[in-house]
Amino acid sequence: QVQLVESGGGLVQAGGSLRLSCSVSGRTFSTLRMGWFRQGPGKEREFVAAITGSGGTTYYADSVKGRFTISRDNAKNTVYLQMYSLKPEDTAVYYCAAQVSGLATIALDYSYWGQGTQVIVSS
């Protein structure tokens, strides 16, 4: 059973930064492509960023490109989302997800999900 546990959310002012972490257990971490998704108030869940098992390729939504960085530490079974220049519209519950195969940007292609961590960006 693959388990994902996010941490690092919180309240931050616009322009600030946060780093989210997601710890994974139950499967060889390097075999998993990891993604971050978010769901804002009254919105659909949307893709934020993803990273391949080796960490060699990353994917970003246009709305976060240049502000967010996804990375992973396979020795620690952890994936990170470093968020800079946060905006009020980044306010959402952020979910970590893992997939064995499929499209990196499609939520339905992810088999495993964390419980989510809340990020609130105040203006």
Side-chain angles (χ1 to χ4, degrees):
Q1 182 74 9
V2 179
Q3 293 186 318
L4 292 75
V5 179
E6 301 102 332
S7 60
L11 174 64
V12 63
Q13 287 189 329
S17 61
L18 277 175
R19 188 176 81 156
L20 306 183
S21 300
C22 174
S23 178
V24 180
S25 61
R27 190 180 176 113
T28 302
F29 184 59
S30 60
T31 66
L32 299 170
R33 177 187 290 157
M34 300 299 300
W36 287 96
F37 291 77
R38 67 186 182 186
Q39 188 164 13
K43 297 181 180 179
E44 300 276 324
R45 189 170 298 190
E46 64 175 355
F47 169 75
V48 175
I51 187 167
T52 54
S54 66
T57 302
T58 55
Y59 311 80
Y60 294 96
D62 288 342
S63 58
V64 306
K65 203 170 291 183
R67 300 189 298 122
F68 291 10
T69 301
I70 189 170
S71 63
R72 65 192 295 158
D73 185 337
N74 284 352
K76 295 183 178 180
N77 288 2
T78 302
V79 62
Y80 305 97
L81 185 67
Q82 179 69 57
M83 304 184 292
Y84 297 102
S85 302
L86 283 161
K87 305 174 181 180
E89 51 263 44
D90 294 318
T91 294
V93 177
Y94 283 72
Y95 297 91
C96 172
Q99 66 173 198
V100 176
S101 62
L103 295 176
T105 61
I106 305 299
L108 287 175
D109 282 359
Y110 285 78
S111 301
Y112 310 104
W113 291 83
Q115 81 288 351
T117 186
Q118 177 76 57
V119 172
I120 299 174
V121 183
S122 63
S123 57

